[in-house]
Amino acid sequence: MTIQYRRIPYRRFLTVGLSALMLLATAASGNAAPPPPASTIADGQRDFDWEIGTWRTSVQVLADPLSESPDEWLQFAGTSTVRPLQDRRANVVEFNVSGPNGRIDALNLRLYEPQAQRWSLTFVNMRDGLLTPAVYGGFRDGVGEFYGDDQLGGQPIKVRFLITRTSRDVARFEQAFSADGGTTWETNWIAVDRRVRS
């Protein structure tokens, strides 16, 4: 069975850049400089600080989004590890889950754009090593909302990615597609992360 998610919501990266990125992430996690004082931080720049660390991840993926097929949800479980980069103005998520339908190994690079006061989230599925178009946004009232454009089956779609902290140590991630310009949305990815304590 072919899994039809957005080349997975932990999206694409150029293969050459991946090795360098992971080296940077490993170095940053062990030898990161102390974060700058709060007074020097732009609005939103520290929105992902709470997520740095390792999480147990359970994932549901809609097998065939935006189709007439009956809903079939595929189940996966594994880990997500979030590493800071560049004084936490960027971070990378290393995502590894598996289930009866196979494995998902992916990365998500998040970059803060101070001039726009927003984050971009760009994903790579390690199966194909290709970047997907980024989604853009930020957090408001504790909920992260990110939007972008992509294609599914050669047709243009809108993409929405939501991040909600349900508690200090639990977070929920949802991806949805819209084929009608954002009037209606179909959720196709739900991940729940629980923090792994040292």
Side-chain angles (χ1 to χ4, degrees):
M1 171 184 296
T2 300
I3 301 170
Q4 297 277 336
Y5 29 49
R6 183 172 191 255
R7 292 170 225 139
I8 304 203
Y10 284 92
R11 311 184 183 179
R12 316 179 199 178
F13 236 109
L14 296 174
T15 305
V16 174
L18 288 176
S19 298
L21 180 61
M22 293 313 295
L23 286 171
L24 283 171
T26 302
S29 64
N31 300 314
S39 61
T40 67
I41 298 171
D43 290 343
Q45 184 173 310
R46 305 306 290 272
D47 283 345
F48 284 101
D49 280 9
W50 60 272
E51 199 186 0
I52 303 302
T54 300
W55 303 75
R56 280 193 292 284
T57 301
S58 59
V59 184
Q60 300 176 67
V61 180
L62 187 61
D64 198 9
L66 297 181
S67 74
E68 299 300 319
S69 302
D71 287 354
E72 178 187 5
W73 288 89
L74 309 178
Q75 309 292 323
F76 300 86
T79 60
S80 297
T81 302
V82 184
R83 304 178 200 281
L85 299 170
Q86 295 296 311
D87 293 329
R88 300 186 183 223
R89 293 171 294 172
N91 62 71
V92 63
V93 182
E94 187 177 357
F95 182 81
N96 305 103
V97 296
S98 61
N101 296 97
R103 292 188 56 81
I104 303 172
D105 297 314
L107 296 176
N108 177 359
L109 176 64
R110 288 105 162 239
L111 301 173
Y112 186 69
E113 301 176 46
Q115 68 280 8
Q117 293 190 348
R118 69 178 186 177
W119 285 86
S120 64
L121 282 57
T122 305
F123 298 85
V124 59
N125 179 353
M126 296 305 294
R127 182 180 59 212
D128 58 24
L130 301 174
L131 292 165
T132 61
V135 291
Y136 299 89
F139 286 81
R140 183 173 179 178
D141 298 326
V143 177
E145 291 190 33
F146 306 86
Y147 294 88
D149 296 295
D150 204 344
Q151 291 191 359
L152 183 66
Q155 300 299 314
I157 60 169
K158 298 285 185 187
V159 180
R160 180 183 70 195
F161 197 71
L162 302 177
I163 302 174
T164 308
R165 291 180 73 187
T166 57
S167 74
R168 175 184 170 89
D169 295 321
V170 180
R172 182 181 175 94
F173 304 81
E174 293 186 21
Q175 179 180 265
F177 292 162
S178 174
D180 57 15
T183 301
T184 60
W185 295 91
E186 179 188 69
T187 299
N188 57 63
W189 170 282
I190 301 169
V192 176
D193 284 5
R194 291 176 173 80
R195 189 183 306 277
V196 175
R197 292 290 182 183
S198 299

